[in-house]
Structure formats: C-alpha cells, structure tokens
Amino acid sequence: MPLANRQSPLSEILAAADQVILGKSRQTRLALCCLLAKGHLLIEDLPGVGKTTLAHTLARLLGFQFSRVQFTSDMLPADILGVSIFDRERSAFRFLPGPVFSQVLLADEINRATPKTQSALLEAMEEGQVTTEGETRPLPQPFFVIATQNPSNQIGTFPLPESQLDRFLLRIDLGYPDHNAERALLESGGRREQLPTLAARLAPAAFAALQQQVAAVHASPALLDYLQLLVEATRRDARLVHGLSPRAALSLLAAARAWAFTDGRQMVLPEDVQAVLPAVARHRLRLLSGSYADAEDIATLIHSIPVA
Amino acid sequence: MARTLKARRQAIARPAEPLEHGAVPWLLAVALVTAGPHVGHLPWWLSLVVGGALLWRAWLWQQARRLPPRWALSMLVVATLAAIGWQFRTLFGKDSGVALLVVFMALKPLEMTSRRDAMVIVMLGYFLLLTHYLYSQSIATGGWLLGAITLLSAALIRVHGGAQPIAAIARHAGLLLAQALPFMLILYLLFPRVSGPLWGLPEDAHSGLSGLSEQMAPGSISRLTQSAAIAFRSRFVGELPEKSDLYWRGPVFDDYDGLTWRASVTTSKPPPQAPTIDGIGPPYAYTNIIEAHNQRWLLALDVATTLPADASLAPSLQALAREPLRVRSRFSFASSVDYRANVSETPETLRQALALPPEINPRSRALAAGWASRPPAEIAAAALAMFRQQDFYYTLEAPLLGANAMDEFLFETRRGFCEHYASAFVFLMRAAGVPARVVAGYQGGELNPIDGYLIVRQSDAHAWAEIWLAGQGWVRFDPTAAVAPARIEQGIAASLPAGEALPIVIRLDNDWLRQLHNRWEAANNTWNQWVLGYNPQRQREVLSRFGWRDADWRRMSASLAVLCGVALLLVAVWTLPRRRAVDPIQRAWQKYCGQLQQRGIARAEWEGPGDFAQRVARERPELGELTREAAGYYAELRYGQRGGIGQNRAAALHRLQQCITRLPPRRRSST
C-alpha cells in the first residue's frame, strides 16, 4: 500500500535533528529537502530562534564540513572568498581559501552585508566556483549555502534584491517554539552544547546518491498539469507584481520531489507540491502593495486550484 | 439540527464585514454618476444638499475621519424628507420619487462602514439608473448609463475583490458586461413588444411636447421658430419636390375673432362631404417619421392623394391620425404638389371662409372694399402686390398689436412674421368677398446627405393662406413669399436679418460642423427608429426579414428561452475551466469521495488524496483505514509510474472500485 507508514533512509536523520531542534520538524524537513534538491536555503527570522543551530545540526548529521560567516556591514568579498598573500619562503603568492571553501557555508545575517559582498557570495552559489585574481577555483562538492537573514524592517539591513532571492531554492521561517518545546528547551538548557556530540549518520558519498534518487522521483503528467495550473494562476493574479518564473517552477518541482522522497515515496503527489509551495513561492511573489506574499496568500492560491 | 441552527444564528449576529478604505471612492463615484444627471430636474436646493453630502463624505474619506453620529444623520434625513414633501406637496409620483431616491443615494455614503452598506449603494444605483429613462431616452443618456453600469459592476468587483489596479477592475467589469451582451441582443430582438408603455404614465407626461397648436395668434409661430427641435423627418422614395413646393399641411384655421385664428367647429349633419382631389402632377411617395406632438395632424405634403390605412383626409385637406400622436410614429403617403381640391365646396364651408368679426379694422375693410369689384384672382394679386411693393418687413421682432390688429399691421407697423402676413391676407380677402382661410404647417426642410432624410424642424414652422376660386378649388397663396421670397426658396435662416435670434444649428455655416451635425442627426434618427421605435410592427418586420413571418408572442417567448439557454451554454463552455474527460480512475475516486461526502466528510476540491486520507483517519477513524487504502490505489494509478513495481493497473483500479462497495452503509443522520 503506497500510502501506508513508510521508513525512509532519512527518517533517522530527521528524528535525530528533532532531538536537537525542538518542535520544528516541518522546518527541519524542508531544510533537508532543500539540500536534497541541491538548492540553497534562506532562513528568515528574528535572532535567537535557532537558525544557526538548525544549519549546524544538519551539517553535522549529514557529515559535512561546516563553516560559518557572520556578515557585517564592513565585510569585503575577500573575507568570504579568500586572499592571496606573499609567501617569503617560496617567494610566491599563496592563496588562503576563505570560508566559502567548505561544504556547508552558514552565512549568518546575510542582509547585514553590503550588496557588493552579498553578490560575491551569490555568484559562488550560482557558479559553484570562485574566481579571484584571474584564477578560477572550484568549490567542494556538494556545496550548500544556508543563509539567515533578519526581517528586513530591522535597522541596518540591506534587503536582498529579487534576482538574488531567486537563487535560494527555499525560504523558511522558524517562528517561536510552542509552549511545550520551549519548556523542554528551558529544562534541558541550550542546544549548542549538544552539537559537538552529534555523529554523522551518512557516509560521505551517500548523500550524492540520495540526491540522485530524489531527482528520479516520478512526476506524472497529471501532477505536472496540477503544478502548471498553480504556476499559471500566479501569473494571472492581478494582485501580484509578476508570477512565478520558469526557474521557480523547476524549483517547485525539485522541492516537491524531495518532499515526496522524505516521505518515502517514489512519486510526487499534489500535496507534496502544496507542502513546499510556501517555501518556494513566498520570497518570489511580491504583491502590488510592495510586501511579499504571506502564508494566507499562498493558501488562497492553493485553494483556488482543484486537484483532479 | 439544533446545533446548526445555533451556528447559523451566530453567523448572522457576527459584526458586519467592514468596508475597505480604498473602496470608498468607488462608491462615491457610483453615487455621483447615478445621481448626478438628475441635477437638471431637481430643485436647486436639493442639488446643493446632494453635492454637499458627497463632498463631505469625500473629505471625511480623505482625512480618514470618523463618520457623523447617527443622530445627526437622522436629523438630516428627516429635514430633507420634509423639505421634499413641502416642495412637491407629495412623496409619490415621478419627480418627488426621483428626488427621494437621489437623496437616499447622497446620504447613504455618510453611514457607509460595512460591505453591506456598500451593497445597498450599488443596488440603489442600479435602481436610480432606470429613473433616468423617465426623463430622456437619447443616445447620450444610453451611453451615459452604459458607462454607469460598467462603473457599478467595477464597484462591486472592488468591494468584494480587494485592492487591484484600476485597469484590472475595468477589464473585469467590461468582460462581465461583454458576457451579458448576447443576452441583451436576444432579449432586445425577441422579447414580445407591447404597443405603448407597459404601465400608465402620469398625466403630465405629454405636456412638454412642442409643435403647432390648435390656434394661431400673432407671435405663436415666431415663438416656435426659436426651437431647433425636429418636428418630423421625411424620406422620399424617388426625387424630392422643389423646395418651394414643400408645404407640409398642419391645422387649417377658418375662424377669426379679431385676435386668434381657430378651426371652426362644424356641427352640421350630415358631416361635411369628403374632399375631392384631382392630382394633376406626378405623385411623390414618402414616409414621415413624426415626433410626438399630441395632435392628430400628420403634416402630409400638400396635398395627400394616398394615405395609410390608419389615417384619413379631413374636409380641410389635412391628413389626420385616429388618435393624437403621443409617441414618435411613421406614416407613408403619396402627394401631388400640383392639384385641384374641393372644386365643389359646400356652401357652409364657403360661408365660414367669409366670416369676419364685425366692426374691427375699418381701414383694412375700406382697402378691401376698393378691390371688391374685381375678379377674385386679381384681388389676391393686388394684395400680394401691395405686400411686395410697399415697405413691409419680414422679421421675428414684430411690434405688439392692439385691438385693430390688421389696421395697425397694414398701415402702421408693417413689420411681421408669416402669421401676420397670412392673417392680414386672409382678412383682406374675406373683406373683399373672396373665401379664404389660414393654413399652418411647415415649409421647407433640410436634406441630411448622410442618411437621405429630409429634416423638418420647429423653426421651419410656417403659415400661409388659401383662397377658393370657382372652378379651381382651394388655391394656395403665400404672402410671405411676396415679402421675403428667400424664406420659401432658401429657408428661414437666409430670409431673416443676421442679428435676429435663431437656433444656432439653423445658421451653421462652417462645413465640417454642418457635416458633424448631419452625422449626429442621422445617428439619432437610426436610434429613434431602431431602439426607441422598436415596436410590435417593427419587430414583425425584422423577424420576417429573418424568414419568420407569423411570430406571435408565445413563439417569441419560447424561442427567447431557447436562445438564451443556448447563449448561456456557450458562455459557460467558454468561461468554465475546461474539465478534461474524466477517466475511469478519476471517476472511481470521485465516486468514492462522493460516498464519503454523503457520510459527512467531504474532500475539498484542492485536497490531494494523501492529505485527505490523513484527515479522514483523524476525523472519522472508522473510515480511515479504507480511505487510506482507496487513496493509495488512486495515488498510485494517477501519479505513480506507469508499469512501475510490477503493478497491475487494471487490478488496482478494480480494488479502488471495490473500496466504494466496501464502505459501511450510511447511517440515518441523527445529529
């Protein structure tokens, strides 16, 4: 029976992550889906709700090399990409790789940096390589950016332009923990101490294999019909500045595949699309009023398209 | 059952949905557009109240202030209603009823806070639109109301659809109206017409009609020439007669009391003999489309030889309808402009054509007595020669005349309009013993080259004279032609001094302005004939053109319903989202969901099978397992890989269909 309770290879990872990040299993799963679909993740929320912990936990559980950059307004591109320094012993320049040369880069508070620095990082995300001083250096594989940003109404932020937001496959918010989760947090102390004790649950090459399996999850013509109806509805909606781009449609399909895969299925169902749609669409759809679409707008959109 | 009732009551008691700030200007525009054009018929103070109320509301909106308190509004309403009652002496009837509606429309926005209030305004707007047709049915009114209806639909969309760009709202409203268009056309063509208005119009409905009246005094025709309103339009089948032959006959006056000319009342039995006419010239065939003037005369060209069935020729040679013309009507005639009429006139008519009030106008009588010995034709020629040779002026600005009006006119003032000359001429003829009478009507007309109609306006109103000559019958003499030949040959604008007041359209010199004016009048004529004049007869004509000859109202109603149904179907096919042909897999799943719906748990249209199965398991655990199974088959069949994991699709479909029969029987709902 296809819809019966299933075990997926990722259930264990998700369960372990839930032990660290309390009461946020949906967001954790979305974050994992983002990595499975080979996308970069943007987490937007207030400071102190566990954005960094989430990123760090995932990196450790998946066995990735992890580095973290705290973005500030006086940061320069070289602080991320790396610099060449003169080595007196060898009488030559030596390249000191920046934090971008790691498998998971946590870019904390990316919207505190100036646009110049932001775009240096975003270029690396897009190309999978870094070009400095005329030399192109490939980034490690896999390479993920998990960026966090503060709500842009906070002081001292440079909001990411739409074209750069589009490079993040998913954008999630964490929100406050619920009552029970917060009580558990208070009783057991902060979560950061647990991080070093987390052991990797995957062999280094296993994640790439999982990514390949995700890409092979079946999307039937009926499902593609449904997905196209959704995307086309955003383009017709008079309240939106513009609809979802074809790239966004591809992202939606990739994320829905990953979501189905984490559910242990080999086929995408409409509810997978619905589940990832807010994370895919909210940072890509802007209302005429200037704000980005909220959860209710996405719900309205979903409710307007019948599932046949 | 009791629970649902309670829930419903709670839903009613919920506070009304508030109206968005951004929707208010739309509703104010609705009020302005629907109430605005009534300003012309309202008392001036009411227009001030309406304008003030709307401005006030607009200001409150702009400043985002609170609306006035309820007691202040109540006082305002009571005061305005009292003032309307005082002004019209009633709150019923056309004018006061419209005034009431306009006041409602202007004051309602001042208490407009919820969506429900907005709906009241929109509905009131639709109703108010209808009232405009009580005052005017012109193209301009139709166009305005079409725009207003678009605005009303747009306001509805704005109130319910939230903030959108104006262009999007306008497009949406336009699309809605465009979908209504086929129905409008079908209803227009096929809705069974009744002759006359559907409901009784108030008594005063026809009072404002202008045109020739049943009597003529100095000044009555010159007053009429101040109006450029169209009296009637005429379309000739073949060529037009000469302009100087275009005498359109209206009332004939043979009774003079020293001031006013009237038609004599004949009481003789048997009634006067029917007129005898020998048409000499070739007949001209034409159709008159006569504006309502509340009289019976049909303004046929002198003199009508062939009449339509519902008209008759009076002894005084006018074509008369059976009833006064209360609506614009069409009549077809043939006329000869060269004729002999009533060569053997009754003695009574001739006696009446010689009657004069005693004693007045001694100088005129003396002048006529000097001609009395000559033959009648020469007498007439002498009178015309007098008008031509002495210094008589043709002018609209004739001085007022006293008791001996003819004496004053002929010997002192010598300034007058056609009614002065016609009545002076007839007076002189009668005084000299020649039977004579005054004929009123229209002379001339103007050909509109756009649609080929000859347009005759009130400004073409004219009066002339007829004398009866033995052996020739009634012969027309037009003394105005002797004074001002240009009046007859070129029209009134050419014959009057440039400074005298005439409607501007009659003096239009500019070529393209005249062209524009002609086009406008041709459009009006089409509108009149095809929209306003679309009566049962016209409807039959149109339908027979489509090959349907015996259309009665029953068949028309039936075909109306059928055509509307077909149009509705077409619109539905065009607008509803295309549903793909439902395959057996979907049909089975929909049937299963339908069965669940009957058991009290319905799948939302947008809900996927997995989510639905989970929800069923949560809300109705007894159905959960089966639904999960059915949803599993469905998901695999519809979204799974074809031929994947050795699945036998036919078997899966069969199991899905079996799930429907495995559902537990429905319980009688007791909750």
Side-chain angles (χ1 to χ4, degrees), chain A residues 39-156:
Chain A
H40 304 288
L41 178 68
L42 179 64
I43 309 177
E44 177 175 307
D45 222 316
L46 299 166
V49 293
K51 292 178 295 216
T52 313
T53 312
L54 171 63
H56 214 149
T57 305
L58 277 179
R60 286 203 76 93
L61 287 173
L62 298 174
F64 288 144
Q65 175 206 343
F66 174 81
S67 63
R68 172 171 186 256
V69 186
Q70 173 67 47
F71 276 52
T72 59
S73 58
D74 56 356
M75 195 172 230
L76 293 173
D79 293 332
I80 302 167
L81 306 179
V83 288
S84 292
I85 56 168
F86 191 69
D87 189 337
R88 286 185 193 208
E89 290 174 13
R90 293 195 290 162
S91 297
F93 279 97
R94 188 159 62 88
F95 182 70
L96 286 185
V100 75
F101 289 89
S102 62
Q103 287 178 306
V104 173
L105 172 67
L106 174 61
D108 230 345
E109 302 192 314
I110 188 172
N111 58 343
R112 288 216 184 278
T114 54
K116 187 176 180 180
T117 311
Q118 287 175 0
S119 63
L121 173 66
L122 293 160
E123 189 200 336
M125 286 163 57
E126 192 66 11
E127 312 291 336
Q129 59 188 24
V130 169
T131 305
T132 48
E133 290 141 24
E135 201 175 327
T136 300
R137 297 180 175 85
L139 293 171
Q141 282 299 325
F143 170 66
F144 296 119
V145 173
I146 298 178
T148 74
Q149 75 171 352
N150 298 324
S152 53
N153 52 11
Q154 287 209 334
I155 299 169

Side-chain angles (χ1 to χ4, degrees), chain B residues 68 104 224 378-379 478 664:
Chain B
F104 293 159
L224 207 51
E378 273 184 43
I379 297 175
D478 190 350

Side-chain angles (χ1 to χ4, degrees), chain A residues 1-4 218 220 222-223 225 238-239 267-271 274 288 302-303 305-308, chain B residues 163 165 168 580 586 603 605-611 628-629 631-632 634-636 638-641:
Chain A
M1 258 184 288
L3 293 185
H218 180 67
S220 69
L223 185 276
D225 280 346
R239 290 165 304 164
M267 61 190 177
V268 188
L269 293 182
E271 36 272 72
Q274 293 170 359
L288 288 177
I302 289 174
H303 293 177
I305 308 294
V307 170
Chain B
R580 287 175 304 280
Q586 273 169 285
R603 184 180 75 91
E605 264 208 317
W606 52 270
E607 218 170 2
D611 280 358
R628 195 197 296 270
E629 195 183 330
Y634 173 65
E636 189 63 51
R638 185 152 169 79
Y639 298 105
Q641 211 151 6

Side-chain angles (χ1 to χ4, degrees), chain B residues 1 598-599 666-671:
Chain B
M1 196 64 212
Q598 291 184 2
R599 285 161 179 79
R666 236 179 334 149
R667 281 176 300 168
R668 295 277 133 220
S669 76
S670 55
T671 45

